[in-house]
Amino acid sequence: MTLLLRNRGAFLLLMLNLFLVFTGIGLVIPIMPKFMELLGISGSLVGLLVASFSLTQLLFSPLAGRLSDRFGRKRLIVLGMTVFAVSEALFGFAEQPWLLFASRLLGGVSAALIMPAVMAYAADITTQEERAAGMGYINAAITTGFIIGPGIGGYIAEFGLRVPFYAAGVAGLIAAALTLFVLRESNPAQAGAAAADPTAQPSAASGGRRSSLIGQLLTSHREPYFFSLIVVFTLSFGLANFETVFGLFVDHRFGFEPKDIAFIITFGSIAGAVVQVTTFGWILNRFGEKRVISICLLFAGAFILLTLFVHTFWLIFAVTFVVFLAIDILRPAISTQMSKLAGADQGYVAGLNSAFTSLGNIAGPIVAGVLFDLHIGAPYALASIVLLLCFVLSTRLRSGEPGASR
């Protein structure tokens, strides 16, 4: 409660920015079946379209993490929100598939600029004891936006297929303006030093092994939080598999309309967000990161598999609710674990977190789209297997090993 009262305005702005960005990712999901008909595209192309967002997010995230350490968090957030607004407007105007791809590529750049900066900002203004609660608030905005985006898209699409994207663009510009004029810089010393001497080099602690994306990824196995990065990838891969084809799955199998899809996803996301901002800190302190991560992996994998065996609206609703709830608890648990191990390199570690998220979000949609064209249930079978295998691996790690809770 102290955390919320002391930094209430800053956290609300950070949450608003992330909520909008990740809502923008999910807006298209309930609308995509209609876009498939309108533009004549296949499930495989849908997968590539979703993955293109994560490709540019992957390429830009490590750089953005370093820039937020060097130039300050606020500048990166404002720039990212401006790019987000442009990308959403472009998607709304698109009449050809290549314009959809251009929009998603720009959207990935915006997420890469914003996500590490926001994560690092939250770490700047919290203590070790407050970190779990702070990450709970931030990740509530991420998961709520990512999962509620399809719900918002489905409802607003009643006013026109492209209206959700125009609305997101306007909201992005408003959020950028609010951040520019209201949010204080949380890392003023480094930001001021960078402005005074833009030719200054990174410190030894942040140089060398962090000089390139490939170098960072290849050496990440040496880090104490490497298993957490593996879980981040697995979670992103499984969720991307699940959510990329969810609208297509229920549309083809049950004939659900965008409003039906919106209801299922919206309710699950709201429940998950409530847990994150009310009881997540208690859950993590009571059971520890390692145990929470293992249990959530088990439930997410098992209930994604159950999706293939239910046949009514309310059973699909119940299964999807559990999947989203497990993911909503799992994501901030991983972020908290890595943040505690990051020390002074919050921006860098947040960048790696974003990079591994992007790897999963690239592979997941591509594989899901191809498998969907082969068999409607294949994407969910694979997502379940991957998450359950990661659960087995998580149970074999002893506390104190890399990636385990300390």
Side-chain angles (χ1 to χ4, degrees), residues 12-48:
L12 287 175
L13 267 178
L14 296 177
M15 292 171 69
L16 173 65
N17 286 323
L18 282 180
F19 173 77
L20 289 175
V21 169
F22 284 86
T23 295
I25 299 174
L27 279 178
V28 73
I29 291 174
I31 305 171
M32 210 60 228
K34 304 298 183 185
F35 265 96
M36 289 178 70
E37 297 174 9
L38 184 66
L39 302 179
I41 58 180
S42 65
S44 298
L45 196 61
V46 171
L48 289 171

Side-chain angles (χ1 to χ4, degrees), residues 356-367:
F356 273 77
T357 298
S358 299
L359 283 173
N361 285 339
I362 291 169
I366 293 174
V367 173

Side-chain angles (χ1 to χ4, degrees), residues 228-229 231-232 235 293 330-339:
S228 295
L229 293 172
V231 177
V232 166
L235 170 64
I293 289 169
L330 177 57
R331 195 187 302 274
I334 299 168
S335 296
T336 301
Q337 188 178 72
M338 285 191 291
S339 178

Side-chain angles (χ1 to χ4, degrees), residues 62-361:
L63 173 63
R66 294 199 303 272
L67 290 177
S68 77
D69 284 337
R70 185 176 177 188
F71 293 103
R73 324 303 189 194
K74 178 177 175 177
R75 297 180 185 180
L76 270 292
I77 296 172
V78 172
L79 177 59
M81 290 308 299
T82 304
V83 175
F84 165 78
V86 173
S87 72
E88 290 299 310
L90 182 59
F91 201 100
F93 285 116
E95 297 285 351
Q96 299 293 331
W98 73 268
L99 285 175
L100 299 180
F101 277 96
S103 166
R104 296 290 91 176
L105 289 169
L106 278 176
V109 173
S110 72
L113 293 170
I114 295 165
M115 188 172 174
V118 169
M119 289 291 189
Y121 193 112
D124 290 340
I125 62 176
T126 56
T127 64
Q128 285 279 346
E129 292 74 23
E130 298 169 333
R131 194 64 48 77
M135 289 301 173
Y137 293 130
I138 295 301
N139 281 277
I142 294 175
T143 53
T144 301
F146 192 68
I147 298 173
I148 207 174
I152 294 175
Y155 285 120
I156 300 181
E158 294 292 306
F159 300 97
L161 200 60
R162 302 175 187 274
V163 173
F165 306 104
Y166 300 144
V170 172
L173 289 177
I174 294 173
L178 285 173
T179 302
L180 178 62
F181 294 111
V182 176
L183 190 68
R184 293 182 178 181
E185 176 57 59
S186 67
N187 196 22
Q190 285 184 269
D197 183 11
T199 63
Q201 297 299 312
S203 66
S206 62
R209 64 189 176 90
R210 303 175 187 182
S211 59
S212 70
L213 170 63
I214 300 299
Q216 291 177 44
L217 294 176
L218 290 179
T219 59
S220 61
H221 68 279
R222 303 173 186 170
E223 305 289 1
Y225 40 77
F226 178 64
F227 178 71
S228 295
L229 293 172
I230 295 299
V231 177
V232 166
F233 170 80
T234 303
L235 170 64
S236 300
F237 180 91
L239 180 59
N241 251 282
F242 181 78
E243 204 169 50
T244 297
V245 298
F246 182 77
L248 309 182
F249 178 82
V250 295
D251 173 74
H252 284 61
R253 192 169 184 181
F254 305 108
F256 284 7
E257 293 294 325
K259 285 197 297 185
D260 300 320
I261 301 169
F263 175 80
I264 292 173
I265 296 176
T266 301
F267 189 88
S269 68
I270 292 173
V274 169
V275 170
Q276 285 183 329
V277 299
T278 56
T279 61
F280 172 74
W282 177 85
I283 292 172
L284 217 60
N285 292 329
R286 174 67 177 81
F287 299 102
E289 291 99 329
K290 180 179 182 294
R291 186 178 298 176
V292 170
I293 289 169
S294 295
I295 292 173
C296 289
L297 285 169
L298 173 62
F299 273 81
F303 276 79
I304 286 177
L305 185 62
L306 281 177
T307 305
L308 301 176
F309 300 99
V310 294
H311 302 286
T312 68
F313 177 87
W314 289 109
L315 284 177
I316 292 172
F317 171 85
V319 169
T320 305
F321 173 81
V322 175
V323 171
F324 288 155
L325 186 60
I327 290 168
D328 284 347
I329 297 173
L330 177 57
R331 195 187 302 274
I334 299 168
S335 296
T336 301
Q337 188 178 72
M338 285 191 291
S339 178
K340 288 181 177 180
L341 298 174
D345 296 326
Q346 296 292 336
Y348 168 69
V349 174
L352 267 181
N353 186 343
S354 184
F356 273 77
T357 298
S358 299
L359 283 173
N361 285 339

